[in-house]
Amino acid sequence: QVQLVDSGGGLVQAGGSRRLSCAASARSFSSVVMGWFRQAPGKEREFVAAIRSTGHNEYYAAYADSVKGRFTIARDNAKNTVYLQMNSLKPEETAVYYCAADNKGLGDVSRRDYSYDYWGQGTQVTVSS
């Protein structure tokens, strides 16, 4: 069982930055693949980024093409926390952002929401133009 609490959302101007956090309660957090998804009003939930640990202080991350170069996903295994640093935000990125955990231990960094077993409650990010 994994519990996720995501936070850090709020109102930001276009071009601004925001950092989201997701605190996880999980045994062996370092083996959990963590992801971020978002869902805008009237749209399907979409993949943003995901990360897994590959060794001591080594990680593999994947990003949606739309955020590559602007968003950075990171994790602190000592704190059981994953972060999403978002820069150069656009109004169309207004959405509820969710962190997710894949606890199956297979190490697959999936872009599919059905691959993730646990979800945070979501945090609203509003980007004003």
Side-chain angles (χ1 to χ4, degrees), residues 24 39 45 59 63-64 66-67 79 84 91 93 96 104 113-115:
Q39 187 166 22
R45 187 162 54 190
Y59 311 96
Y63 296 91
S66 60
V67 307
K79 295 182 178 180
L84 184 68
E93 295 181 307
V96 178
K104 292 185 283 296
D113 58 0
Y114 55 72
S115 297

Side-chain angles (χ1 to χ4, degrees), residues 35-97:
W36 284 98
F37 290 77
R38 64 188 179 190
Q39 187 166 22
K43 295 188 176 181
E44 292 187 353
R45 187 162 54 190
E46 65 172 352
F47 171 77
V48 176
I51 187 169
R52 68 175 172 97
S53 298
T54 59
H56 181 63
N57 289 336
E58 295 181 344
Y59 311 96
Y60 171 79
Y63 296 91
D65 288 344
S66 60
V67 307
K68 206 171 292 184
R70 298 185 297 117
F71 289 16
T72 302
I73 188 171
R75 63 191 295 159
D76 185 336
N77 290 335
K79 295 182 178 180
N80 281 22
T81 301
V82 65
Y83 305 96
L84 184 68
Q85 176 67 43
M86 306 183 293
N87 299 328
S88 301
L89 281 160
K90 305 173 182 179
E92 56 265 36
E93 295 181 307
T94 293
V96 178
Y97 284 71

